[in-house]
Amino acid sequence: MNLHLIMVAQFLFIILIFFFTSVSADILPGTTLHASIPNINWTSPDGTFSLGFIPISSSNPSSYSLSISYSSIPIWTAGGPSTAVDSNSVFQFTASGNLQLLNGSDYIIWQSNTSNLSISSASLRDSGEFVLLRNGTISAWSTFENPTDTILPSQNFTTGKTLVSGLYSFSLLRSGNLTLTWNDSIIYWTMGLNSSVNVSLTSPSLGFQSIGILSLYDQRLSVPYIMAYSSDYAEGSDILRFVKLDSDGNLRMYSSAQGSGTVSETWSAVSDQCRVFGYCGNFGVCSYNDSSPVCGCPSENFKFVDPGDKRKGCTRTKTIDNCPGTATMLQLDHALFLTYDAELSSQDFFAGSAACRFNCLVGDNCQASTSLSDGTGRCYLKASYFVSGYQSAALPSTSFVKVCSPAEPNPPAEQGNLGGSDWKLRPWVVPVVILATLVALVALEGGMWVWCCRNSPKFRGLSAQYALLEYASGAPVQFSYKELQRSTKGFKEKLGEGGFGAVYRGILINRTVVAVKQLEGIEQGEKQFRMEVATISSTHHLNLVRLIGFCSEGRHRLLVYEFMKNGSLNNFLFMTEEHSGKFLDWEHRGTRGYLAPEWLANLPITSKSDVFSYGMVLLEIVSGRRNFEVSPETNRKKFSTWAFEEFDKGNVERIVDRRLLDDGVDMEQATRAIQISFWCIQEQPSQRPMMGKVVQMLEGIMEIERPPAPKPVAEGSASGTSINRSSNTSAFSTNATSVPVPSSSSSLQTALQTAELERASALV
Ligand SMILES: *[C@@H]1O[C@H](CO)[C@@H](O)[C@H](O)[C@H]1NC(C)=O
Ligand SMILES: *[C@@H]1O[C@H](CO)[C@@H](O)[C@H](O)[C@H]1NC(C)=O
Ligand SMILES: *[C@@H]1O[C@H](CO)[C@@H](O)[C@H](O)[C@H]1NC(C)=O
Ligand SMILES: *[C@@H]1O[C@H](CO)[C@@H](O)[C@H](O)[C@H]1NC(C)=O
Ligand SMILES: *[C@@H]1O[C@H](CO)[C@@H](O)[C@H](O)[C@H]1NC(C)=O
Ligand SMILES: *[C@@H]1O[C@H](CO)[C@@H](O)[C@H](O)[C@H]1NC(C)=O
Ligand SMILES: *[C@@H]1O[C@H](CO)[C@@H](O)[C@H](O)[C@H]1NC(C)=O
Ligand SMILES: *[C@@H]1O[C@H](CO)[C@@H](O)[C@H](O)[C@H]1NC(C)=O
Ligand SMILES: *[C@@H]1O[C@H](CO)[C@@H](O)[C@H](O)[C@H]1NC(C)=O
Ligand SMILES: *[C@@H]1O[C@H](CO)[C@@H](O)[C@H](O)[C@H]1NC(C)=O
Ligand SMILES: *[C@@H]1O[C@H](CO)[C@@H](O)[C@H](O)[C@H]1NC(C)=O
Ligand SMILES: *[C@@H]1O[C@H](CO)[C@@H](O)[C@H](O)[C@H]1NC(C)=O
């Protein structure tokens, strides 16, 4: 008997469930869903989609979201993807036609605001769209019109709509461009029509075809314009595909075979996840551990905001305001702070890495800076309070972060193990420690040897060479001829022909694009050539194209320069008559470099041309002025011309940078440097000394004869064309207004010390 009753009750219960799930095609006002009964939900006629409460994670069963889902993958969520409610929450389709999500305290978490639209019923369609209907047929409100983070096939995504996930949003612009934006301010990704499609759209809309193609529709387009394909497009059957803005700020396409319960990624908008702005939060540094992005802090001057969630970013252990005057710049190699268009403008200028570091240090609001070493010579200062970092061995840039002294870099760790994760003893640690100890012992022995032998005359010459090699932080690399042959594909792509040999485009193994200059007919000994290479590369200056390496093998003498993407190196190396029409533009385009006259005059280019450049830079360093500075002080003459006149009259002090004078510079040394620079900038290459001699003169090993006047060259012609003209007295920046005024006397002090250091090292 009892058994009978139980069976009847069970039967009724099953009927009840069946009623709720199958009659759901037409949902009437006055219906309610409860988070506490998640199996009762509204499903689409074919059962593909259901709308109801789903647990947010299996680990936290008391937290729910009200979502439309496809085999438990949410594709629409009331209030957006991060809205969570407790287990006493309810979802009401009220008698007035409003949809309301109330939490356990009857607080309205979300509502559709449709009370006054004469809603008569609701329906969850097989497409996954949930609609509120007026008079039984007319759609008054729908989830496709009010998307949260997902676009389904047959959904029409128009301008004005947005997908939102946390601080990230995705939208379609009137121009037809798709954009990803952080916090409504920084557009970190955009994709538009191919520039060869010359139409202005009227009212573009984005559609996602079920076979996996994201296309743009517009009256003006004869056929839909395809924006992206999924990697499995048009494959398989019964596969649901959708486009989703994930909480990590990336827009992706996914595929899920019906009933499989699994999803696979088939496309992502931002292929390099670390380039998503703010992925690791404020001051967070994104890097890759194998292929997955991980978040760390810039240094031990920072700590995680929430050690349990490293994506929340980092905060300074000591705020900059608490250490006025003792702030310093922490250096992060192979790192950059993400900068997208909205933030550029005045904070973007051309400067070397020392200037980039320095300008941020003295800038009042500057938090961090990035110096690109990709050949553009650009420097960004980050003045906004939110900075987003990226570190990877492949990044050609160096970054600096302002911190309170002392800078405490992260201990060297495995890649991606930045900041604060526990140190564990690993099997490789012991051999590494032993090796390090051995290296240290050898170094100590070497040090002692240097200490006791450095006064021996034989050793001095050697040490000079090595000092030069060492100074060049990116010391020139010696390439084998074969290697260069391979990287230039057998000297195939000729960039042009200089008077003294051809220059070819090449790609090094690490994918750095280079220009390889093949010197011909240079009768120079191996030793001498190396010495000159060392010297050229030690003249690290923003106005010079960087020498990456060289090859000296048998009769082959080659120089490997960094290649400037914007083609300036091309012009730099091959300025010939046919190109000279372009030349006047130079002063404006932002090209850098002091060119010896013969670069342009189609004369043989020798290593003496590099001597010219060195001379100009040396003069700049000592004087703190640019060659083209024309001011009343220089009687409206070109600086180098004026400087020689003053030197001739014996007024050396007038040439030397005043800040150096104040710091009590060794006048004898400064005079020597000035004389050498005049020798180097002689118009006739034959009059310029060899680089080896220049070094001997600098070191005081060799007497310096009185230099003849460097013949003045008409402005705008070949020699000494410094493009970024600046009237600023800083030797660091080429852009006057971008140098912030030191805020206090103490930072001025730091500035001058930095300047002094720079000069000292440049003088070797
Ligand atoms: C909807 O209800 C059906 C039947 O109870 C259940 O099998 C399904 O898992 C529910 N869907 C969700 C997302 O909870
Ligand atoms: C409901 O939401 C309100 C507002 O967010 C919140 O203060 C309240 O604690 C919530 N109640 C429950 C039971 O979560
Ligand atoms: C409904 O109205 C409230 C108050 O005006 C608003 O905050 C909310 O965003 C509206 N909801 C929707 C779905 O538009
Ligand atoms: C519906 O209309 C009534 C009166 O016309 C008004 O008081 C109420 O605020 C309206 N509700 C919404 C959600 O617009
Ligand atoms: C709804 O239907 C009624 C009659 O069935 C009609 O009078 C009314 O105009 C319709 N409303 C709309 C908005 O179409
Ligand atoms: C999408 O909606 C807009 C506005 O409602 C309409 O003009 C356009 O034709 C629709 N696009 C498609 C592909 O249905
Ligand atoms: C987002 O921008 C607003 C101002 O537009 C600002 O108040 C807020 O702090 C920003 N959020 C973050 C996380 O930076
Ligand atoms: C549209 O996207 C293209 C890249 O596909 C970009 O070059 C262009 O600047 C973008 N236009 C706008 C208005 O954002
Ligand atoms: C643009 O279209 C042209 C011609 O159809 C094609 O050759 C080119 O590859 C396209 N560019 C891009 C970036 O898709
Ligand atoms: C684009 O089309 C307009 C006229 O429709 C024309 O004036 C313009 O030159 C075209 N631009 C390009 C780049 O073809
Ligand atoms: C940098 O120099 C350029 C060219 O003289 C100028 O247009 C730009 O405004 C300068 N930058 C700043 C920040 O003033
Ligand atoms: C590539 O290698 C050259 C020489 O080894 C080096 O100078 C250069 O900095 C490297 N570039 C990158 C991006 O690592």
Side-chain angles (χ1 to χ4, degrees):
M1 190 63 186
N2 268 353
L3 197 71
H4 238 97
L5 270 177
I6 291 170
M7 278 178 70
V8 167
Q10 264 183 354
F11 180 73
L12 283 175
F13 188 66
I14 287 167
I15 293 282
L16 198 75
I17 289 173
F18 184 76
F19 173 80
F20 270 109
T21 54
S22 64
V23 182
S24 57
D26 216 12
I27 303 144
L28 298 175
T31 318
T32 301
L33 292 174
H34 298 267
S36 51
I37 325 173
N39 310 5
I40 296 186
N41 52 43
W42 301 331
T43 47
S44 61
D46 69 0
T48 309
F49 294 94
S50 63
L51 193 163
F53 285 95
I54 55 171
I56 281 187
S57 68
S58 48
S59 62
N60 185 5
S62 63
S63 183
Y64 294 84
S65 70
L66 188 278
S67 301
I68 298 174
S69 54
Y70 164 84
S71 45
S72 70
I73 304 154
I75 53 101
W76 182 89
T77 299
S82 51
T83 307
V85 289
D86 60 290
S87 56
N88 291 322
S89 307
V90 292
F91 184 63
Q92 297 175 332
F93 178 28
T94 64
S96 63
N98 200 16
L99 294 172
Q100 287 184 335
L101 175 64
L102 307 173
N103 74 3
S105 343
D106 277 349
Y107 186 93
I108 300 179
I109 300 296
W110 176 86
Q111 59 175 328
S112 61
N113 302 332
T114 48
S115 325
N116 291 356
L117 299 178
S118 328
I119 305 297
S120 56
S121 64
S123 169
L124 180 59
R125 296 178 169 163
D126 284 338
S127 60
E129 181 180 27
F130 182 72
V131 285
L132 298 182
L133 300 164
R134 190 190 297 159
N135 273 9
T137 48
I138 303 155
S139 163
W141 183 94
S142 89
T143 53
F144 277 11
E145 292 298 309
N146 296 271
T148 54
D149 61 352
T150 306
I151 299 174
L152 288 175
S154 85
Q155 187 165 342
N156 182 1
F157 189 84
T158 51
T159 56
K161 290 184 181 144
T162 48
L163 299 185
V164 177
S165 189
L167 285 173
Y168 298 106
S169 59
F170 167 76
S171 49
L172 169 65
L173 305 184
R174 196 150 286 280
S175 63
N177 273 36
L178 309 181
T179 58
L180 287 173
T181 310
W182 176 85
N183 200 20
D184 288 334
S185 55
I186 290 165
I187 297 177
Y188 55 90
W189 177 81
T190 185
M191 180 167 74
L193 297 174
N194 186 332
S195 52
S196 66
V197 183
N198 182 17
V199 289
S200 62
L201 307 177
T202 52
S203 54
S205 63
L206 188 70
F208 184 53
Q209 296 174 43
S210 57
I211 57 166
I213 297 176
L214 192 65
S215 356
L216 200 67
Y217 299 83
D218 190 85
Q219 288 174 338
R220 295 268 173 92
L221 294 167
S222 49
V223 287
Y225 181 87
I226 295 174
M227 294 297 232
Y229 290 95
S230 75
S231 60
D232 66 346
Y233 83 97
E235 281 174 13
S237 56
D238 263 359
I239 291 179
L240 176 84
R241 298 187 175 87
F242 55 94
V243 177
K244 184 173 182 192
L245 174 62
D246 284 309
S247 60
D248 62 7
N250 214 335
L251 183 78
R252 298 189 176 89
M253 282 186 205
Y254 289 99
S255 294
S256 174
Q258 195 125 33
S260 70
T262 60
V263 276
S264 51
E265 180 189 325
T266 53
W267 174 78
S268 67
V270 188
S271 52
D272 186 348
Q273 180 61 37
C274 281
R275 295 212 178 248
V276 170
F277 194 87
Y279 174 71
C280 283
N282 197 8
F283 278 112
V285 178
C286 181
S287 60
Y288 290 97
N289 188 356
D290 292 330
S291 61
S292 47
V294 289
C295 295
C297 291
S299 73
E300 299 200 331
N301 303 74
F302 292 82
K303 60 174 192 286
F304 284 114
V305 169
D306 175 2
D309 182 0
K310 294 181 178 167
R311 280 198 51 204
K312 292 229 169 91
C314 306
T315 175
R316 290 193 166 92
T317 51
K318 203 170 166 194
T319 63
I320 293 293
D321 299 340
N322 288 340
C323 58
T326 68
T328 182
M329 297 306 283
L330 171 90
Q331 179 165 340
L332 296 173
D333 291 326
H334 300 292
L336 61 82
F337 286 101
L338 300 181
T339 299
Y340 296 97
D341 287 353
E343 288 183 300
L344 294 181
S345 73
S346 62
Q347 303 298 344
D348 175 12
F349 57 95
F350 295 94
S353 101
C356 198
R357 172 188 179 281
F358 171 76
N359 279 332
C360 185
L361 181 65
V362 299
D364 258 348
N365 297 319
C366 188
Q367 305 277 351
S369 62
T370 292
S371 165
L372 298 184
S373 29
D374 60 356
T376 59
R378 280 164 84 182
C379 165
Y380 310 135
L381 301 188
K382 305 293 294 183
S384 75
Y385 76 101
F386 193 102
V387 296
S388 181
Y390 178 11
Q391 190 163 37
S392 158
L395 291 178
S397 59
T398 303
S399 287
F400 305 94
V401 192
K402 199 186 282 182
V403 293
C404 289
S405 287
E408 302 167 280
N410 287 328
E414 296 167 78
Q415 207 203 345
N417 204 4
L418 294 157
S421 109
D422 296 336
W423 190 79
K424 291 195 193 89
L425 194 66
R426 286 165 200 275
W428 50 263
V429 168
V430 174
V432 165
V433 167
I434 293 173
L435 205 73
T437 314
L438 277 176
V439 168
L441 277 174
V442 170
L444 188 72
E445 207 168 310
M448 283 172 70
W449 182 73
V450 169
W451 181 71
C452 61
C453 308
R454 67 175 170 185
N455 289 332
S456 102
K458 201 176 156 205
F459 186 67
R460 269 183 92 158
L462 259 178
S463 76
Q465 276 192 36
Y466 287 109
L468 280 168
L469 275 168
E470 240 169 58
Y471 164 66
S473 53
V477 178
Q478 183 170 12
F479 294 96
S480 71
Y481 187 70
K482 259 205 165 136
E483 226 173 317
L484 291 181
Q485 220 170 8
R486 208 170 341 157
S487 58
T488 56
K489 295 197 181 123
F491 300 101
K492 211 168 100 198
E493 198 182 331
K494 195 188 252 186
L495 291 170
E497 182 85 46
F500 232 62
V503 178
Y504 302 88
R505 194 181 122 96
I507 300 173
L508 299 184
I509 296 166
N510 65 11
R511 296 196 176 184
T512 301
V513 182
V514 291
V516 179
K517 182 156 70 161
Q518 197 169 30
L519 302 174
E520 275 158 25
I522 288 205
E523 299 303 328
Q524 209 176 29
E526 167 104 22
K527 229 175 170 176
Q528 203 177 4
F529 179 72
R530 276 166 188 264
M531 185 68 191
E532 296 202 12
V533 166
T535 315
I536 294 166
S537 67
S538 73
T539 58
H540 253 281
H541 192 279
L542 76 109
N543 283 333
L544 292 179
V545 179
R546 190 165 80 91
L547 180 75
I548 290 177
F550 65 98
C551 165
S552 174
E553 213 174 274
R555 285 179 46 254
H556 301 298
R557 299 277 184 277
L558 299 103
L559 295 172
V560 180
Y561 286 96
E562 75 182 0
F563 186 79
M564 300 222 165
K565 271 204 199 98
N566 55 18
S568 58
L569 183 66
N570 270 358
N571 302 318
F572 178 76
L573 290 172
F574 312 111
M575 194 50 67
T576 57
E577 273 101 341
E578 68 214 63
H579 287 116
S580 56
K582 274 190 193 165
F583 182 62
L584 285 176
D585 295 346
W586 269 45
E587 302 186 338
H588 312 291
R589 246 210 349 254
T591 316
R592 310 163 303 159
Y594 283 111
L595 308 186
E598 63 269 25
W599 285 109
L600 293 129
N602 212 9
L603 293 171
I605 294 154
T606 63
S607 50
K608 290 287 187 72
S609 312
D610 295 316
V611 173
F612 180 92
S613 311
Y614 182 78
M616 274 299 178
V617 172
L618 189 61
L619 188 59
E620 253 189 28
I621 288 170
V622 180
S623 64
R625 278 173 282 204
R626 317 217 94 228
N627 182 35
F628 267 102
E629 220 179 283
V630 175
S631 65
E633 196 193 354
T634 63
N635 295 331
R636 310 230 147 264
K637 285 177 189 155
K638 203 167 58 168
F639 179 71
S640 55
T641 312
W642 173 83
F644 186 80
E645 286 173 10
E646 291 301 317
F647 166 77
D648 217 28
K649 290 185 219 153
N651 302 333
V652 181
E653 305 83 21
R654 295 194 61 187
I655 307 172
V656 177
D657 192 336
R658 259 181 234 115
R659 290 172 299 178
L660 284 182
L661 285 177
D662 295 345
D663 270 21
V665 70
D666 181 344
M667 273 315 285
E668 195 197 331
Q669 229 175 27
T671 312
R672 203 186 306 151
I674 289 169
Q675 274 179 293
I676 294 164
S677 68
F678 288 141
W679 273 112
C680 293
I681 62 174
Q682 292 297 316
E683 196 182 20
Q684 281 301 318
S686 61
Q687 282 197 308
R688 298 175 208 152
M690 295 297 274
M691 213 58 216
K693 270 194 186 164
V694 171
V695 174
Q696 287 177 340
M697 291 195 275
L698 272 174
E699 290 203 330
I701 300 170
M702 204 180 142
E703 279 298 304
I704 306 171
E705 282 177 58
R706 204 178 165 75
K711 215 174 131 200
V713 183
E715 183 149 345
S717 84
S719 84
T721 301
S722 162
I723 308 308
N724 242 326
R725 291 189 199 190
S726 166
S727 57
N728 196 279
T729 46
S730 165
F732 292 100
S733 175
T734 54
N735 204 329
T737 44
S738 65
V739 180
V741 177
S743 53
S744 65
S745 62
S746 64
S747 59
L748 184 67
Q749 193 64 35
T750 326
L752 289 175
Q753 278 164 2
T754 316
E756 183 60 36
L757 250 165
E758 278 283 299
R759 288 173 170 80
S761 53
L763 289 170
V764 184

PDB file of all heavy atoms in Angstrom, residues 167 182-185 282 385-386, ligand 7:
ATOM      1  N   LEU A 167      36.087  44.581 -17.020  1.00  0.00           N
ATOM      2  CA  LEU A 167      36.415  45.913 -17.534  1.00  0.00           C
ATOM      3  C   LEU A 167      36.536  45.920 -19.052  1.00  0.00           C
ATOM      4  O   LEU A 167      36.761  46.960 -19.657  1.00  0.00           O
ATOM      5  CB  LEU A 167      37.743  46.390 -16.925  1.00  0.00           C
ATOM      6  CG  LEU A 167      37.728  46.845 -15.469  1.00  0.00           C
ATOM      7  CD1 LEU A 167      39.135  47.123 -14.986  1.00  0.00           C
ATOM      8  CD2 LEU A 167      36.867  48.089 -15.310  1.00  0.00           C
ATOM      9  N   TRP A 182      39.514  48.498 -23.040  1.00  0.00           N
ATOM     10  CA  TRP A 182      39.659  48.321 -21.600  1.00  0.00           C
ATOM     11  C   TRP A 182      39.081  49.536 -20.892  1.00  0.00           C
ATOM     12  O   TRP A 182      39.445  50.676 -21.219  1.00  0.00           O
ATOM     13  CB  TRP A 182      41.150  48.142 -21.253  1.00  0.00           C
ATOM     14  CG  TRP A 182      41.417  48.040 -19.787  1.00  0.00           C
ATOM     15  CD1 TRP A 182      41.357  46.908 -19.020  1.00  0.00           C
ATOM     16  CD2 TRP A 182      41.806  49.105 -18.907  1.00  0.00           C
ATOM     17  NE1 TRP A 182      41.669  47.214 -17.719  1.00  0.00           N
ATOM     18  CE2 TRP A 182      41.941  48.555 -17.622  1.00  0.00           C
ATOM     19  CE3 TRP A 182      42.031  50.461 -19.072  1.00  0.00           C
ATOM     20  CZ2 TRP A 182      42.315  49.315 -16.514  1.00  0.00           C
ATOM     21  CZ3 TRP A 182      42.394  51.228 -17.973  1.00  0.00           C
ATOM     22  CH2 TRP A 182      42.537  50.650 -16.706  1.00  0.00           C
ATOM     23  N   ASN A 183      38.205  49.319 -19.926  1.00  0.00           N
ATOM     24  CA  ASN A 183      37.642  50.368 -19.086  1.00  0.00           C
ATOM     25  C   ASN A 183      37.126  51.562 -19.885  1.00  0.00           C
ATOM     26  O   ASN A 183      37.332  52.715 -19.487  1.00  0.00           O
ATOM     27  CB  ASN A 183      38.676  50.828 -18.046  1.00  0.00           C
ATOM     28  CG  ASN A 183      38.035  51.537 -16.868  1.00  0.00           C
ATOM     29  OD1 ASN A 183      36.847  51.383 -16.618  1.00  0.00           O
ATOM     30  ND2 ASN A 183      38.816  52.330 -16.159  1.00  0.00           N
ATOM     31  N   ASP A 184      36.502  51.304 -21.015  1.00  0.00           N
ATOM     32  CA  ASP A 184      35.943  52.359 -21.864  1.00  0.00           C
ATOM     33  C   ASP A 184      36.961  53.397 -22.305  1.00  0.00           C
ATOM     34  O   ASP A 184      36.586  54.493 -22.711  1.00  0.00           O
ATOM     35  CB  ASP A 184      34.794  53.100 -21.135  1.00  0.00           C
ATOM     36  CG  ASP A 184      33.559  52.243 -21.043  1.00  0.00           C
ATOM     37  OD1 ASP A 184      33.407  51.362 -21.906  1.00  0.00           O
ATOM     38  OD2 ASP A 184      32.765  52.431 -20.106  1.00  0.00           O
ATOM     39  N   SER A 185      38.229  53.106 -22.173  1.00  0.00           N
ATOM     40  CA  SER A 185      39.199  54.131 -22.544  1.00  0.00           C
ATOM     41  C   SER A 185      40.294  53.649 -23.490  1.00  0.00           C
ATOM     42  O   SER A 185      40.633  54.348 -24.439  1.00  0.00           O
ATOM     43  CB  SER A 185      39.822  54.738 -21.287  1.00  0.00           C
ATOM     44  OG  SER A 185      40.370  53.719 -20.481  1.00  0.00           O
ATOM     45  N   ASN A 282      46.918  46.442 -12.445  1.00  0.00           N
ATOM     46  CA  ASN A 282      47.805  47.591 -12.389  1.00  0.00           C
ATOM     47  C   ASN A 282      49.194  47.168 -11.906  1.00  0.00           C
ATOM     48  O   ASN A 282      49.320  46.449 -10.914  1.00  0.00           O
ATOM     49  CB  ASN A 282      47.222  48.637 -11.437  1.00  0.00           C
ATOM     50  CG  ASN A 282      47.859  49.984 -11.636  1.00  0.00           C
ATOM     51  OD1 ASN A 282      48.638  50.183 -12.596  1.00  0.00           O
ATOM     52  ND2 ASN A 282      47.560  50.917 -10.756  1.00  0.00           N
ATOM     53  N   TYR A 385      47.867  56.483 -14.054  1.00  0.00           N
ATOM     54  CA  TYR A 385      48.103  55.739 -12.830  1.00  0.00           C
ATOM     55  C   TYR A 385      48.072  54.236 -13.073  1.00  0.00           C
ATOM     56  O   TYR A 385      48.524  53.459 -12.262  1.00  0.00           O
ATOM     57  CB  TYR A 385      47.072  56.130 -11.770  1.00  0.00           C
ATOM     58  CG  TYR A 385      45.745  55.505 -12.039  1.00  0.00           C
ATOM     59  CD1 TYR A 385      45.345  54.374 -11.342  1.00  0.00           C
ATOM     60  CD2 TYR A 385      44.906  56.015 -13.033  1.00  0.00           C
ATOM     61  CE1 TYR A 385      44.137  53.776 -11.628  1.00  0.00           C
ATOM     62  CE2 TYR A 385      43.721  55.420 -13.320  1.00  0.00           C
ATOM     63  CZ  TYR A 385      43.329  54.295 -12.612  1.00  0.00           C
ATOM     64  OH  TYR A 385      42.148  53.686 -12.918  1.00  0.00           O
ATOM     65  N   PHE A 386      47.509  53.807 -14.204  1.00  0.00           N
ATOM     66  CA  PHE A 386      47.392  52.379 -14.467  1.00  0.00           C
ATOM     67  C   PHE A 386      48.399  51.972 -15.529  1.00  0.00           C
ATOM     68  O   PHE A 386      48.358  52.467 -16.645  1.00  0.00           O
ATOM     69  CB  PHE A 386      45.973  52.055 -14.949  1.00  0.00           C
ATOM     70  CG  PHE A 386      45.659  50.576 -14.940  1.00  0.00           C
ATOM     71  CD1 PHE A 386      44.891  50.016 -13.935  1.00  0.00           C
ATOM     72  CD2 PHE A 386      46.154  49.738 -15.930  1.00  0.00           C
ATOM     73  CE1 PHE A 386      44.606  48.659 -13.926  1.00  0.00           C
ATOM     74  CE2 PHE A 386      45.879  48.381 -15.923  1.00  0.00           C
ATOM     75  CZ  PHE A 386      45.102  47.839 -14.909  1.00  0.00           C
TER      76      PHE A 386
HETATM   77  C1  LIG B   7      38.118  52.953 -15.006  1.00  0.00           C
HETATM   78  O1  LIG B   7      37.885  54.298 -15.359  1.00  0.00           O
HETATM   79  C2  LIG B   7      37.256  55.089 -14.340  1.00  0.00           C
HETATM   80  C3  LIG B   7      37.051  56.486 -14.873  1.00  0.00           C
HETATM   81  O2  LIG B   7      36.643  56.464 -16.185  1.00  0.00           O
HETATM   82  C4  LIG B   7      38.115  55.136 -13.098  1.00  0.00           C
HETATM   83  O3  LIG B   7      37.472  55.841 -12.084  1.00  0.00           O
HETATM   84  C5  LIG B   7      38.389  53.720 -12.630  1.00  0.00           C
HETATM   85  O4  LIG B   7      39.276  53.741 -11.546  1.00  0.00           O
HETATM   86  C6  LIG B   7      39.003  52.906 -13.777  1.00  0.00           C
HETATM   87  N1  LIG B   7      39.185  51.551 -13.322  1.00  0.00           N
HETATM   88  C7  LIG B   7      40.395  50.997 -13.191  1.00  0.00           C
HETATM   89  C8  LIG B   7      40.451  49.607 -12.713  1.00  0.00           C
HETATM   90  O5  LIG B   7      41.395  51.607 -13.450  1.00  0.00           O
END
